[in-house]
Amino acid sequence: SGVGLELRIRLAPGLGRPEPPGDSGVMEGEASSDVSRFSEVQHVMLSSQMIEAKQARSRAEAERQLRLNRIARLQAEEMKLMKRIEETHRRTKDILTQKTLKDQAAVERQTVELTKSEELNSQRLRLVEAKMQQRHNIKSSQEACWVNRNKTVQSVKERKEWTASESEARRKHELRLKTQLRDDIRRQDDVRRERRRVLMESQEQQLKLESEARLNGEEAKIREQEAKLSVLERREMQLLQSLKSYQGEQRMAVEQLELFLPASLPRKGNLSYRGPPALMGPR
């Protein structure tokens, strides 16, 4: 467009000169030469416009291909990110499942141990009761012998009082032993339950902290990918704005070129600039 405009400015003064008085043949020769010059200028302008249009189309096609490639790369990165997130969810689920199975196995083992300890304690209680019953039977037989041996009422009365007091003392002693044994068993059960509860809470807290750390790491990666996507979008917007400004400059150049053309000359076709074809942007 610059070459055509320079040629047109150089040749335009010859077109606008007033006809000098003289021979008509000279005037016709000058007119024919002016027409030929105008045809050459117009041909040069049209050729430059076609070349510029082809160059603009090629540049627009290259920019469109670059944007398509960029969009494909962004989509591939998004798919990779989604696969990583799914893999993280799957690993977290597997870890929680393994933790649940381990906890269930530990609870079952502790339940079996408690059952065995309760059975042992019950066997011990039965043995103690059997021994006490045997002692009681022995003492009862001894007391019977003493009663049969002593025929007097006073001796029987004293023996009965002694037996009653001994039985009461024995009963109280056995009751204290049973109560103490039951309290010891309860305390042991409470200690086991407390230890199991503290162990389960510590394991749950540790698993929770590990899961939160993994999730925070994945969220940081996601935020980094989102920042990269935003940078790529800003670059694409800058390219679109530069393309629009370039189209506006070309349109203004064509309009200025049309203003320089004389209104009386015939125009072949429409020389107005329509701009390159619309680019295929992301939808």
Side-chain angles (χ1 to χ4, degrees):
S1 62
V3 175
L5 182 59
E6 184 178 359
L7 290 174
R8 194 260 173 206
I9 291 170
R10 289 179 180 178
L11 296 175
L15 297 175
R17 291 176 182 174
E19 297 180 358
D23 192 5
S24 61
V26 176
M27 292 174 64
E28 291 177 358
E30 290 179 356
S32 62
S33 64
D34 291 339
V35 170
S36 63
R37 289 177 182 176
F38 176 73
S39 299
E40 290 176 358
V41 170
Q42 190 175 10
H43 178 70
V44 171
M45 291 172 61
L46 290 174
S47 299
S48 63
Q49 287 179 358
M50 291 175 65
I51 291 170
E52 288 175 356
K54 288 181 180 179
Q55 291 176 355
R57 282 196 297 271
S58 63
R59 286 194 296 271
E61 184 65 25
E63 290 178 358
R64 184 181 71 83
Q65 189 63 35
L66 286 174
R67 280 199 295 274
L68 290 175
N69 293 336
R70 188 180 299 109
I71 290 169
R73 287 197 299 272
L74 291 174
Q75 289 177 353
E77 289 178 359
E78 184 179 2
M79 292 297 295
K80 290 181 181 179
L81 184 60
M82 293 299 294
K83 287 181 181 179
R84 289 178 182 175
I85 292 171
E86 291 176 358
E87 182 67 20
T88 302
H89 289 324
R90 186 181 64 77
R91 290 178 181 176
T92 304
K93 186 177 180 180
D94 293 340
I95 290 170
L96 291 175
T97 303
Q98 292 177 2
K99 172 63 172 58
T100 304
L101 293 175
K102 288 181 181 179
D103 292 339
Q104 289 179 356
V107 170
E108 289 176 357
R109 287 195 299 270
Q110 290 178 358
T111 304
V112 171
E113 291 176 359
L114 288 173
T115 304
K116 289 181 180 179
S117 64
E118 289 176 357
E119 290 177 358
L120 290 173
N121 291 329
S122 62
Q123 290 177 2
R124 289 173 183 173
L125 287 174
R126 286 195 294 271
L127 289 173
V128 170
E129 290 175 357
K131 287 180 180 180
M132 289 182 177
Q133 186 66 31
Q134 187 177 5
R135 289 177 183 176
H136 180 70
N137 292 332
I138 292 170
K139 288 182 180 180
S140 297
S141 62
Q142 289 176 358
E143 289 174 2
C145 290
W146 281 103
V147 170
N148 291 327
R149 193 176 296 165
N150 295 317
K151 300 295 183 181
T152 59
V153 176
Q154 187 65 30
S155 62
V156 170
K157 184 178 179 180
E158 290 176 358
R159 179 61 61 184
K160 286 183 178 180
E161 291 176 357
W162 179 80
T163 303
S165 62
E166 285 293 325
S167 298
E168 184 67 19
R170 231 180 1 259
R171 187 180 65 80
K172 290 179 179 180
H173 180 67
E174 290 173 359
L175 183 61
R176 283 195 301 272
L177 289 176
K178 289 179 180 179
T179 304
Q180 185 177 1
L181 183 60
R182 186 171 61 252
D183 293 336
D184 292 336
I185 292 170
R186 287 178 179 176
R187 282 194 297 271
Q188 291 176 2
D189 292 338
D190 293 335
V191 169
R192 291 192 189 95
R193 291 192 188 95
E194 184 65 20
R195 287 178 180 175
R196 183 175 59 191
R197 185 183 64 80
V198 171
L199 179 62
M200 290 176 68
E201 288 179 355
S202 63
Q203 290 178 353
E204 289 177 357
Q205 186 68 22
Q206 184 177 1
L207 285 174
K208 185 176 180 182
L209 292 173
E210 292 176 356
S211 299
E212 288 178 355
R214 291 192 185 95
L215 290 175
N216 290 330
E218 293 296 332
E219 288 177 355
K221 291 180 180 178
I222 291 170
R223 286 194 296 271
E224 184 179 356
Q225 293 295 330
E226 289 177 351
K228 291 181 179 178
L229 288 174
S230 64
V231 170
L232 291 174
E233 289 176 354
R234 286 196 297 270
R235 289 181 181 175
E236 186 176 0
M237 291 298 296
Q238 290 175 359
L239 289 173
L240 289 173
Q241 289 177 0
S242 63
L243 180 61
K244 288 180 180 179
S245 63
Y246 176 75
Q247 291 175 354
E249 289 175 0
Q250 282 192 345
R251 191 178 297 108
M252 290 176 64
V254 172
E255 290 174 357
Q256 289 177 1
L257 185 61
E258 289 179 353
L259 290 175
F260 279 108
L261 291 175
S264 61
L265 293 177
R267 299 183 181 181
K268 295 181 179 181
N270 189 5
L271 299 178
S272 61
Y273 178 75
R274 295 182 180 178
L279 298 177
M280 294 177 65
R283 295 181 179 177

